Amino acid sequence: MAKPETKTEFFYTEKGLVAIDSPVKLQILNLLREEPKTFDEIVRYTAKAKSTISVHLNDLRSCNLVDENFDPEDRRKKIYSLTSCYMGCSQEPSTDNYRCLLDLAAANGNDRFRFMETMFHVFRFGFEAYGIDNSPVVKMIGIDIGKHLSLNFESSTLEALLNEVAGFLEFHEDCQVSVLMENSPALRVDGGFKAMSLPVTGKPFCSLKEGIIEGILKEKLGKECGVLEIECYGTGHEHCLFEITI
């Protein structure tokens, strides 16, 4: 049995943003984020009564967060799937990095590039300072940007496209990008603003770039793929490493 959630999470639907703080509903939603599940699987996962789960599922369906369908192999069973996108959650406010970046913004006031780069991260960590983890929605915006940027790329094979993406990142940022193909495909980003300026936070913070790369790959390759930053200046590494799965 999974431990009940104790926070508010935000999900996007076609009708807008929905905030959920019910521990049982969050258990159900986070289970369905992995893959569709049957009613009985949800009951086992939550360890709640069938009548309780039925009420929560009906509530989630009424909010357009969850869809219900019959199991094609056994129409006596119902399968539930997520029809919304996870956008972020509440968290304990964290102000140290935010204050550090505010000081950095002031120090970079006479440098146009450094100032604008700092301002982006001020906004990013500003949400955390006020109790919101917004990295999922930042990545989603990055995916939207990447899909539109894909018109500027010509390659239709993975390695060639990654080389194009590397050149694009180097052109727009003060960094060096290496394409790694030995094991799983990856992009390694060295140098640049983050290496010199941003604080070590203990977790990756390049969710926008993560999304942009993913959006370009999805649109150009016409395949489902994922991009995950597994190493970052924010985690104390001397580079950022974006792992790619197709």
Side-chain angles (χ1 to χ4, degrees):
M1 180 184 70
K3 182 180 178 181
E5 303 290 343
T6 57
K7 57 187 175 184
T8 299
E9 296 188 0
F10 309 104
F11 293 81
Y12 175 77
T13 74
E14 291 182 354
K15 293 186 178 181
L17 200 65
V18 179
I20 300 292
D21 60 5
S22 159
V24 178
K25 285 184 174 66
L26 290 178
Q27 280 185 288
I28 295 170
L29 290 168
N30 286 315
L31 176 65
L32 297 181
R33 282 169 62 188
E34 299 172 5
E35 61 181 359
K37 300 290 184 181
T38 66
F39 180 82
D40 289 340
E41 287 175 322
I42 296 171
V43 170
R44 286 197 299 271
Y45 178 79
T46 58
K48 300 295 181 181
K50 289 185 177 181
S51 58
T52 300
I53 296 305
S54 181
V55 169
H56 283 296
L57 285 170
N58 285 334
D59 289 345
L60 292 172
R61 289 175 61 206
S62 69
C63 295
N64 299 306
L65 297 175
V66 167
D67 195 16
E68 174 188 271
N69 291 287
F70 288 106
D71 186 336
E73 298 180 358
D74 185 350
R75 292 186 62 80
R76 294 172 298 177
K77 297 180 179 180
K78 292 180 179 179
I79 294 179
Y80 294 88
S81 57
L82 199 65
T83 55
S84 52
C85 296
Y86 175 64
M87 291 284 102
C89 65
S90 61
Q91 64 169 36
E92 287 293 325
S94 175
T95 60
D96 289 348
N97 296 321
Y98 181 54
R99 290 171 178 168
C100 174
L101 285 162
L102 288 172
D103 291 339
L104 192 59
N108 288 329
N110 294 323
D111 185 322
R112 287 188 298 173
F113 173 78
R114 300 298 183 201
F115 179 75
M116 293 308 299
E117 180 80 6
T118 308
M119 288 301 294
F120 168 78
H121 293 289
V122 167
F123 277 102
R124 170 72 175 81
F125 286 100
F127 278 91
E128 292 190 3
Y130 288 99
I132 300 175
D133 176 8
N134 71 334
S135 54
V137 69
V138 171
K139 180 170 181 177
M140 190 66 67
I141 292 170
I143 290 173
D144 292 337
I145 293 171
K147 287 181 176 180
H148 283 75
L149 281 174
S150 66
L151 295 173
N152 299 312
F153 295 82
E154 298 179 354
S155 303
S156 57
T157 60
L158 179 59
E159 186 170 3
L161 184 57
L162 289 177
N163 278 295
E164 273 198 83
V165 171
F168 175 84
L169 294 175
E170 289 183 340
F171 178 77
H172 287 282
E173 300 184 23
D174 182 17
C175 64
Q176 299 82 45
V177 184
S178 305
V179 176
L180 309 177
M181 299 294 293
E182 291 83 0
N183 298 311
S184 59
L187 288 176
R188 173 174 166 143
V189 181
D190 289 274
F193 175 73
K194 296 181 184 64
M196 297 179 289
S197 306
L198 293 186
V200 174
T201 64
K203 62 181 180 180
F205 48 56
C206 303
S207 48
L208 183 68
K209 190 180 297 179
E210 196 178 60
I212 290 173
I213 298 169
E214 185 171 314
I216 293 170
L217 297 181
K218 283 182 174 179
E219 199 71 10
K220 293 301 293 184
L221 299 177
K223 298 178 181 178
E224 277 303 312
C225 63
V227 176
L228 180 65
E229 186 180 21
I230 59 174
E231 296 175 359
C232 180
Y233 293 111
T235 57
H237 292 84
E238 295 298 319
H239 58 266
C240 293
L241 186 65
F242 298 89
E243 188 175 63
I244 296 150
T245 57
I246 304 295

